[in-house]
């Protein structure tokens, strides 16, 4: 049971982190005409303040790590809800399960 939960958590975390990173990166570059460095330094600035924009590769990495930590946190919250809330599991089992859950 625990091994299954950890496996689900890792998969959800990686999918969430990767899909969100790719989509936010594309949005930053193509829609906002910014750079990837600026995007991830902006994320790092949540912890480090405005100095993050002058930190180079180091603060860019901090931003990416913070992004991954947040994705892990939200994935863990969702998994805990999924495992403890039968109504959520039933809703996700429906053909339009994700839409049904989003409407809750």
């Amino acid at each position: 049971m625990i091994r299954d939960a950890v496996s689900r958590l890792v998969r959800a975390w990686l999918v969430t982190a990767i899909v969100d990173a790719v989509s936010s990166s594309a949005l930053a570059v193509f829609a906002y005409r910014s750079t990837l460095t600026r995007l991830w330094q902006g994320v790092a600035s949540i912890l480090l303040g405005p100095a993050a924009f002058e930190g180079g590769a180091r603060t860019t990495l901090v931003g990416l790590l913070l992004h991954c930590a947040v994705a892990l946190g939200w994935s863990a919250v969702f998994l805990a809800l999924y495992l403890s809330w039968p109504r959520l599991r039933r809703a996700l089992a429906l053909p339009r399960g994700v839409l049904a859950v989003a409407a809750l």
Side-chain angles (χ1 to χ4, degrees):
M1 174 84 173
I2 291 176
R3 184 178 219 158
D4 183 49
V6 170
S7 175
R8 287 177 185 221
L9 177 60
V10 169
R11 285 190 315 243
W13 169 47
L14 290 175
V15 168
T16 301
I18 291 168
V19 168
D20 188 57
V22 169
S23 62
S24 61
S25 295
L27 187 65
V29 171
F30 299 115
Y32 299 132
R33 304 284 185 224
S34 187
T35 64
L36 294 178
T37 299
R38 182 131 177 105
L39 168 67
W40 299 114
Q41 286 175 339
V43 173
S45 73
I46 294 167
L47 289 179
L48 306 175
F53 292 104
E54 299 163 10
R58 183 172 291 171
T59 55
T60 302
L61 181 59
V62 169
L64 281 166
L65 292 174
L66 180 59
H67 168 77
C68 289
V70 169
L72 177 60
W74 280 115
S75 296
V77 166
F78 185 81
L79 180 62
L81 290 172
Y82 178 83
L83 293 174
S84 64
W85 196 13
R87 184 175 177 207
L88 178 61
R89 288 194 301 274
R90 284 191 305 272
L92 287 172
L94 297 172
R96 294 178 300 207
V98 173
L99 296 175
V101 171
L104 290 178

